[in-house]
Amino acid sequence: MNFTLAGLWTHMGPVAQLIVIAMGVMSMVSLLILAERAFVFRAARRQSRRYAAQLDALLANGDFDAAAEVKTDKDVGYLGRTIRAGLTAYRVSATDSREEVMETVARGLERQAQREVQSLKRGLGHLATVGSTAPFVGLLGTTIGIVTAFQEMGAANSGGIGTISTGISEALVTTAFGLLVAIPAVMGYNSLQGWVDARAVDLSEASNEFLDAASRALKRTRAMSPRS
């Protein structure tokens, strides 16, 4: 038996070939998701940092009206969209009581943060599926291949390991393919999921800082209003 890709493919049965094709598709999907998510994450973090640098001083001083009017880039990242949701909620509820304003802003920040985290997780479920199922798909091919090898041995009325060694080696190739597909998918999923978890913490911290700034700005505005 020739242990090259062409040789392995030639000696595989139709079922094993179908399984290898399925795993090839799974591998391509997982690699495309990894590349797309890596590109999206890098761009989103760069946009968020740029937005934070533009509005940091205004938000720290509680000048929310000026912050809302600042012209920013079209894409402001996950952080920018979350802070904008907080600014919108603050301006809409400005005439409400202090407790109502803070609750409205907190809900607006939380809703948008959840949307951003969910958006960042897009495609990770497919990676997890590939990583968890690829070894079993390969094992299915191995099982079918071994059964076929024993059937051929019975049909030939001959025994011995030499008779079925070629069939078994062909069958085990599908397990190897399954592992080659699963390992990058699992590693990529764990890496991307850790990145998303870190960004969720960033959004939570930014939301809390925004609430603190909103509370100080609201207190200052309400204290000045009787004298205006």
Side-chain angles (χ1 to χ4, degrees):
M1 180 179 176
N2 185 8
F3 283 94
T4 63
L5 291 177
L8 292 173
W9 179 260
T10 302
H11 286 82
M12 285 182 183
V15 176
Q17 289 179 343
L18 182 62
I19 289 175
V20 170
I21 291 173
M23 288 190 294
V25 173
M26 294 168 65
S27 178
M28 289 299 298
V29 170
S30 64
L31 291 176
L32 287 174
I33 291 174
L34 282 170
E36 187 269 343
R37 286 292 90 186
F39 176 80
V40 169
F41 288 178
R42 182 178 180 182
R45 190 170 190 180
R46 183 175 63 251
Q47 293 159 2
S48 295
R49 287 179 172 178
R50 187 185 303 123
Y51 181 87
Q54 290 175 320
L55 273 71
D56 183 60
L58 293 175
L59 293 176
N61 294 329
D63 196 351
F64 290 177
D65 291 333
E69 298 298 331
V70 169
K71 291 184 179 181
T72 58
D73 297 332
K74 182 179 179 181
D75 295 322
V76 294
Y78 53 87
L79 181 61
R81 286 186 291 270
T82 302
I83 297 304
R84 280 183 173 179
L87 287 171
T88 301
Y90 182 86
R91 299 182 71 181
V92 169
S93 61
T95 58
D96 297 337
S97 66
R98 184 176 184 277
E99 291 75 14
E100 291 174 337
V101 172
M102 296 305 298
E103 289 178 3
T104 301
V105 172
R107 287 195 299 267
L109 291 169
E110 183 179 2
R111 284 194 299 268
Q112 188 61 39
Q114 290 176 347
R115 293 191 191 101
E116 295 302 324
V117 171
Q118 193 61 35
S119 177
L120 292 174
K121 287 183 177 180
R122 187 178 303 152
L124 297 191
H126 295 292
L127 278 180
T129 300
V130 170
S132 60
T133 59
F136 295 104
V137 175
L139 183 60
L140 173 62
T142 298
T143 303
I144 294 174
I146 291 176
V147 170
T148 302
F150 277 103
Q151 288 177 340
E152 292 175 351
M153 182 181 67
N157 293 321
S158 60
I161 189 65
T163 306
I164 61 173
S165 60
T166 300
I168 291 178
S169 62
E170 295 171 8
L172 291 175
V173 169
T174 58
T175 297
F177 270 110
L179 294 175
L180 288 174
V181 173
I183 291 172
V186 172
M187 293 177 64
Y189 171 80
N190 290 335
S191 177
L192 295 179
Q193 184 61 51
W195 194 93
V196 172
D197 291 340
R199 301 296 76 75
V201 173
D202 291 344
L203 287 173
S204 178
E205 292 178 351
S207 297
N208 289 331
E209 291 176 2
F210 185 91
L211 286 172
D212 292 339
S215 177
R216 293 192 298 268
L218 191 62
K219 183 178 180 180
R220 184 167 59 251
T221 302
R222 298 290 168 88
M224 294 173 59
S225 58
R227 297 192 296 269
S228 59

